[in-house]
Amino acid sequence: MSKKSINIGYARVSTHKQDLGLEVQVEALKHCDQLFIERESGSQNNRPELEKALNLARDLSKKGSQVTFTIYKLDRLTRSMFKLLEIIEQFNEHTIQLVSLHEKLETDSLIGRLLCVILGFVAESELENLRFRTREGLRKAKEKGVRLGAKQISKAKEEQIIRQYLEGSLSLRQIAKTEQISTSTIYKVLERNKVANNRKNLPKNACENLTKVIK
């Protein structure tokens, strides 16, 4: 009796502004049995959807399934060499095949795994070069007197953020995704308007008194 074959797909973009890039990945991965989608930087190791995908792959492999983990491009998986090596080691341990469509790469052979590591090194080097150019650009802009920093958000948007926070139906991460801002911006909004960042400390009628909260 042959093993059941399962193909798990994983797609990632860094921001909500990269929907076109996400569409390309989703189209390429439409043959997968289950697809996990994430909006997080590849340099971040704490990615919930990736962890869900990896856990599912390991669980299915332990149950006897023949598991393939498919990505569109290697840097969609991670831009960290250490994280890549960790994932490859886990896949080898559980006999999970990694497939990267863009590079036409499969890790079911020693050569495939070696190429995967080399390309991972290239991806991390590109990220480090990008960081360097960004730092240099910011330094030169500062020398020229360019004012740096995020744009001030409107009072209306602050009110919307605080309302969603006080209602308690969405997590901070979900609010950030909905409003297309960072969680650090949400904390600044809460601090600026003197709203407790621990919802347990909020009074029951906090949402009703929202107009008194906005400064």
Side-chain angles (χ1 to χ4, degrees), residues 118-158:
I118 293 173
L119 291 172
F121 174 77
V122 172
E124 185 168 2
S125 297
E126 289 177 347
L127 179 61
E128 189 57 38
N129 288 335
L130 177 61
R131 286 171 173 164
F132 174 78
R133 291 195 297 269
T134 300
R135 288 194 297 268
E136 282 298 293
L138 291 173
R139 182 183 63 79
K140 290 179 181 179
K142 190 174 182 180
E143 288 177 353
K144 293 179 181 179
V146 177
R147 188 175 179 181
L148 304 174
K151 294 181 179 179
Q152 185 73 23
I153 62 177
S154 67
K155 287 295 181 183
K157 189 158 188 173
E158 285 200 4

Side-chain angles (χ1 to χ4, degrees), residues 166-183:
L166 294 179
E167 287 174 348
S169 58
L170 297 176
S171 66
L172 287 180
R173 184 184 290 273
Q174 289 171 326
I175 296 173
K177 287 186 176 181
T178 300
E179 299 298 330
Q180 298 186 17
I181 56 176
S182 65
T183 53

Side-chain angles (χ1 to χ4, degrees), residues 7-67:
N7 198 330
I8 298 173
Y10 175 77
R12 181 189 65 79
V13 290
S14 297
T15 69
H16 284 266
K17 297 179 181 179
Q18 297 177 317
D19 286 339
L20 181 59
L22 183 58
E23 288 178 12
V24 171
Q25 294 180 63
V26 171
E27 176 64 22
L29 298 169
K30 64 182 181 181
H31 65 284
C32 295
D33 299 299
Q34 188 162 347
L35 178 60
F36 292 83
I37 297 174
E38 193 143 50
R39 285 182 170 88
E40 278 289 355
S41 169
S43 61
Q44 296 292 329
N45 287 333
N46 183 21
R47 283 180 275 153
E49 293 304 309
L50 176 59
E51 290 306 313
K52 289 179 186 177
L54 295 175
N55 288 336
L56 177 61
R58 288 192 293 265
D59 290 344
L60 290 173
S61 179
K62 289 177 182 178
K63 293 177 181 178
S65 297
Q66 185 177 336
V67 182

Side-chain angles (χ1 to χ4, degrees), residues 44-96:
Q44 296 292 329
N45 287 333
N46 183 21
R47 283 180 275 153
E49 293 304 309
L50 176 59
E51 290 306 313
K52 289 179 186 177
L54 295 175
N55 288 336
L56 177 61
R58 288 192 293 265
D59 290 344
L60 290 173
S61 179
K62 289 177 182 178
K63 293 177 181 178
S65 297
Q66 185 177 336
V67 182
T68 301
F69 195 98
T70 306
I71 51 178
Y72 176 69
K73 194 177 179 183
L74 194 59
D75 63 6
R76 299 301 86 196
L77 184 60
T78 181
R79 287 182 177 270
S80 166
M81 270 295 298
F82 289 110
K83 184 65 176 179
L84 178 59
L85 290 171
E86 176 188 323
I87 292 174
I88 292 176
E89 184 176 345
Q90 290 180 25
F91 284 174
N92 290 341
E93 181 182 347
H94 295 91
T95 322
I96 299 170

